[in-house]
Amino acid sequence: MEIEFYGATGRITGSCHIVRINGRQVLLDCGLVQGRPEEEALNREDFPFDPRAIDAVVLSHGHIDHSGRLPLLVKRGFRGPVYTHPATRDLALVLLQDSARLNERDTNYENRIRQKKKQPLIDPLYSTEDVVGTINLMQGLRYGVKKEILPGVVLRFQDAGHILGSAMVELWLSENGRVKKVVFSGDVGQYDTPILYDPSEIADADAVIVESTYGDRLHKEKEQTLQELAGIIGSASHEKGNILVPAFSIGRSQELLYLFGKYAKEWGLERWQIFLDSPMAIEASRIYWDYPELYDEEATKLRRRIHEMPKPSNLRFTRHSSESKEINAIEHGAIIIAGSGMCNGGRIIYHLKHNISRPECHVLITGYQAAGTLGRKLVERAETVRILGETFRVEAALHTVGGLSAHADQRDLLRWLKGFVTAPHMYVVHGEQQVKQHFSAFLQRELGLQASVPEPGEIVRL
């Protein structure tokens, strides 16, 4: 029995690893590579394995860097089951259909250029039909339920507390009378995050594949974050500007709406027009409300009292592009939550174009920004940025609100890993290279565990 590491090793995105046992192969995640254009071009390359030889896929959660190449896997011959949480199956349909539409649009644009240059045309990475075929292969498995998915392979999901339906993966592997347990963290959420439960504790494993997105830093305390948000809203109100919030459609958008609803009076939000300008986030919010059994104690009490999740009374959903364009005529008093979360596409691009050079406006960065994205340039305080082919000076006030991240920081990761009573080997993935090295050394120093940073294609025998 062995693990071979692929994606999220040489880079942070594109989560993908293989577990081999009894002549069978189980794929852990199958995500898109995100970031610079040359990195995203890797998504078109052949898989480093035969998709037809994969017996089953285990999907930790719906985010595109974990699920986004699944339709391509199916397009290239995979026909086995995809095990995931039922909520992830629902969210994946929304995310993957959006991914397919964006890819078809980008491919059409690229082919117009290629036609003029008399170069060969390219096909989209996958179609919406491929997405439907992928969703049809998904089998829902709820938290805490053990299931034998292949001979000698037993699977159980635990709540990762990252987004709705996000799961840590427990695999019991039996071969020739030996049993080994592998745990894959997926993406670990912060403790005490609104709406969702804290990450589940797992006591034993022989090997743990652990993410390290924020393995070298600490987020702000929750109370500090709430005070910071209140201060930003107050400043923007005084300066008569708009507030732009690039937000991931699943997780971050719902958390922001929850906080805006809970603190609407305290933060003076009744004076604002609040827009959720993302059809995908609107649909994801509907799915969130369909799974009340996954809410933590506070969210459950609020839902019972008001029969829905709290949200601002002056919130407007803008599904259509014509409604989105109308927002750009608003010069002050608008809070605009829109995708994409890394500012590398979506409607937030157009709002940034109209507001980024206005000193009275504010931009709230609420999540991880991959290298090469517009969001990363903003975080790094670039003086000018390119948006839709034009150059703009960055005059708006920029705020990185780390306390809203859906990812655990170093302290949260350590808290979760301290739950193991055994001493598993830690394989550190899903982080920038220097962060993975830092976190690996940190685990060896703080917990006395063996920890290593696997290379792409590295094979570990259990």
Side-chain angles (χ1 to χ4, degrees):
M1 57 184 82
E2 65 184 27
I3 305 169
E4 186 164 2
F5 297 93
Y6 290 119
T9 47
R11 55 188 54 83
I12 190 169
T13 55
S15 179
C16 184
H17 313 289
I18 281 185
V19 174
R20 296 190 181 93
I21 180 171
N22 298 320
R24 305 294 183 98
Q25 299 191 92
V26 179
L27 198 65
L28 301 177
D29 285 351
C30 192
L32 275 178
V33 178
Q34 297 174 301
R36 298 182 180 92
E38 58 270 23
E39 290 181 302
E40 296 192 352
L42 297 173
N43 291 313
R44 290 187 170 275
E45 293 187 358
D46 290 339
F47 289 101
F49 49 82
D50 182 358
R52 295 167 297 180
I54 300 298
D55 296 285
V57 175
V58 176
L59 176 61
S60 65
H61 66 287
H63 278 152
I64 286 295
D65 62 321
H66 292 257
S67 68
R69 283 187 98 195
L70 275 174
L72 186 62
L73 192 77
V74 172
K75 182 178 178 180
R76 293 182 178 174
F78 172 72
R79 293 295 179 269
V82 178
Y83 295 98
T84 195
H85 191 277
T88 297
R89 185 182 189 274
D90 291 348
L91 291 171
L93 176 60
V94 178
L95 278 161
L96 293 175
Q97 282 186 325
D98 182 72
S99 176
R101 285 191 291 266
L102 288 174
N103 191 259
E104 287 172 338
R105 183 200 66 188
D106 292 345
T107 300
N108 289 337
Y109 177 77
E110 173 70 17
N111 280 338
R112 286 197 296 271
I113 296 172
R114 285 171 171 262
Q115 258 184 331
K116 291 176 183 176
K117 295 181 178 180
K118 297 184 178 179
Q119 293 175 339
L121 303 185
I122 58 173
D123 292 326
L125 202 59
Y126 49 79
S127 67
T128 51
E129 289 78 13
D130 296 318
V131 170
V132 172
T134 302
I135 299 300
N136 288 339
L137 296 176
M138 290 188 178
Q139 297 186 22
L141 185 65
R142 295 190 177 276
Y143 298 136
V145 177
K146 277 189 173 184
K147 181 179 179 65
E148 185 174 36
I149 61 172
L150 291 169
V153 182
V154 174
L155 165 67
R156 182 169 67 186
F157 288 135
Q158 300 285 10
D159 195 339
H162 174 61
I163 63 169
L164 192 79
S166 60
M168 298 166 179
V169 176
E170 295 179 284
L171 287 175
W172 287 265
L173 310 174
S174 303
E175 186 178 64
N176 300 326
R178 294 181 301 127
V179 179
K180 295 287 184 181
K181 184 180 177 186
V182 174
V183 170
F184 173 43
S185 73
D187 284 353
V188 183
Q190 283 199 69
Y191 288 81
D192 304 318
T193 293
I195 305 176
L196 302 179
Y197 284 105
D198 288 343
S200 298
E201 189 173 284
I202 299 176
D204 62 294
D206 295 291
V208 176
I209 306 169
V210 60
E211 69 115 326
S212 60
T213 311
Y214 290 111
D216 66 339
R217 69 196 79 172
L218 302 178
H219 298 318
K220 287 182 181 175
E221 297 291 343
K222 288 292 186 296
E223 191 56 41
Q224 279 184 286
T225 298
L226 295 175
Q227 290 173 5
E228 184 179 8
L229 285 172
I232 293 166
I233 292 166
S235 295
S237 179
H238 175 73
E239 293 160 8
K240 298 191 181 304
N242 294 325
I243 300 175
L244 308 188
V245 190
F248 299 103
S249 298
I250 294 178
R252 197 61 36 76
S253 295
Q254 290 74 37
E255 183 179 343
L256 284 165
L257 294 183
Y258 179 93
L259 291 174
F260 286 170
K262 184 177 178 182
Y263 296 101
K265 187 174 181 180
E266 186 177 332
W267 293 351
L269 289 172
E270 68 277 358
R271 298 192 297 270
W272 292 81
Q273 298 180 73
I274 303 174
F275 299 92
L276 182 58
D277 189 26
S278 166
M280 186 161 60
I282 294 166
E283 179 60 17
S285 298
R286 183 193 63 76
I287 294 170
Y288 256 68
W289 313 151
D290 285 345
Y291 285 89
E293 70 274 15
L294 301 182
Y295 298 167
D296 65 12
E297 186 177 353
E298 181 190 64
T300 299
K301 286 179 179 176
L302 281 167
R303 185 184 172 109
R304 283 175 182 159
R305 192 170 76 236
I306 62 177
H307 307 296
E308 64 176 352
M309 295 300 287
K311 60 179 184 287
S313 58
N314 51 341
L315 171 67
R316 180 179 166 193
F317 292 146
T318 50
R319 289 180 171 83
H320 304 293
S321 58
S322 57
E323 297 173 297
S324 179
K325 290 174 183 176
E326 289 173 4
I327 299 172
N328 289 321
I330 301 173
E331 294 194 355
H332 60 87
I335 297 177
I336 307 159
I337 305 169
S340 69
M342 296 186 192
C343 307
N344 56 342
R347 294 180 179 178
I348 194 65
I349 294 292
Y350 298 93
H351 300 307
L352 286 168
K353 178 180 177 181
H354 285 86
N355 292 274
I356 197 67
S357 297
R358 299 176 60 207
E360 68 273 24
C361 291
H362 295 251
V363 179
L364 269 65
I365 302 294
T366 62
Y368 181 79
Q369 306 298 311
T373 61
L374 174 57
R376 183 63 164 259
K377 291 182 175 70
L378 294 175
V379 167
E380 293 175 347
R381 297 296 194 267
E383 292 184 1
T384 61
V385 291
R386 296 278 292 174
I387 301 175
L388 299 172
E390 297 180 60
T391 300
F392 295 86
R393 284 197 62 80
V394 180
E395 301 286 355
L398 299 172
H399 310 271
T400 302
V401 188
L404 289 177
S405 174
H407 280 274
D409 64 4
Q410 185 186 82
R411 180 173 46 224
D412 290 325
L413 288 169
L414 184 63
R415 177 176 170 180
W416 177 66
L417 291 170
K418 279 183 174 179
F420 287 93
V421 296
T422 57
H425 190 113
M426 297 289 165
Y427 297 98
V428 180
V429 300
H430 202 292
E432 293 181 357
Q433 196 62 23
Q434 67 273 24
V435 176
K436 288 184 289 193
Q437 296 291 349
H438 177 96
F439 188 58
S440 175
F442 175 80
L443 292 179
Q444 294 177 69
R445 185 174 66 251
E446 294 295 319
L447 298 180
L449 295 172
Q450 287 185 301
S452 55
V453 178
E455 295 292 327
E458 183 175 334
I459 296 175
V460 171
R461 290 178 173 83
L462 299 176

